[in-house]
Amino acid sequence: MHPIRAIAFSILFGSLSALTNCAAKPSSQVIDPALLVHVETFEARYGVRYTGDAIISTLSSDKAGICSISPRGKVITINRLYFEKYDVYGLEELMYHELGHCALGLDHKNDKDQYGCPNSIMFYAAFGNSWCYTNRRNMLLQELEDSWKNLHGN
């Protein structure tokens, strides 16, 4: 490629990257490699950038995960006990729930459908490896987006 074209290409796509919030992660950000795919797919789907940390650790409570604020900023902590027993969809639901708090600013929702399945990823308890999530995944992912847009008036 011609050097001027290479520079123009770099500038154009570097600018597009900044405009679409796909810039490189800050070097101080800590995301466990096992959680990174969920953070990246969440960012791509919802067009937001999560700048906090995401770690796997043992929690003293029975919670599957938490979004908290530390001196470093926002931190998603996934309980190691849940991480070890959840399949890919259970972990996706849990990470999207915590990212819903930390990246989108959403609160819990407590409503269920006629079959007893939560109507939102933001349900107060994790679904885990559940039929309610895997068979209603597209609807739940769309509901998360709609909740975020409604919260921010988009």
Side-chain angles (χ1 to χ4, degrees):
M1 181 181 290
H2 190 275
I4 293 177
R5 281 191 186 159
I7 292 169
F9 186 81
S10 175
I11 291 170
L12 173 64
F13 286 100
S15 298
L16 285 175
S17 176
L19 290 174
T20 59
N21 293 324
C22 294
K25 303 252 181 251
S27 60
S28 63
Q29 185 179 29
V30 176
I31 298 183
D32 189 287
L35 304 176
L36 184 60
V37 66
H38 298 293
V39 172
E40 289 176 340
T41 56
F42 180 93
E43 290 175 333
R45 179 177 181 94
Y46 299 109
V48 298
R49 184 147 177 262
Y50 176 63
T51 57
D53 296 341
I55 62 172
I56 300 167
S57 185
T58 302
L59 295 175
S60 59
S61 71
D62 64 347
K63 293 183 178 185
I66 58 171
C67 167
S68 59
I69 306 295
S70 78
R72 289 179 43 87
K74 294 179 181 178
V75 179
I76 292 172
T77 305
I78 300 302
N79 190 333
R80 182 173 311 284
L81 298 174
Y82 288 84
F83 173 79
E84 291 172 354
K85 72 178 183 177
Y86 279 5
D87 66 13
V88 67
Y89 290 110
L91 188 56
E92 177 186 77
E93 181 271 323
L94 177 57
M95 279 299 295
Y96 278 37
H97 175 94
E98 297 307 336
L99 285 161
H101 290 308
C102 277
L104 303 180
L106 298 174
D107 290 326
H108 286 145
K109 292 186 174 184
N110 299 324
D111 55 317
K112 295 181 179 182
D113 68 11
Q114 68 269 26
Y115 305 107
C117 290
N119 285 323
S120 176
I121 287 174
M122 297 311 298
F123 191 70
Y124 73 93
F127 294 45
N129 302 330
S130 166
W131 180 94
C132 289
Y133 182 71
T134 56
N135 290 289
R136 301 165 67 240
R137 181 175 175 265
N138 290 334
M139 182 278 295
L140 291 164
L141 294 175
Q142 184 61 51
E143 188 279 333
L144 186 65
E145 182 176 344
D146 294 343
S147 294
W148 175 53
K149 287 180 177 178
N150 289 337
L151 179 67
H152 297 285
N154 295 336

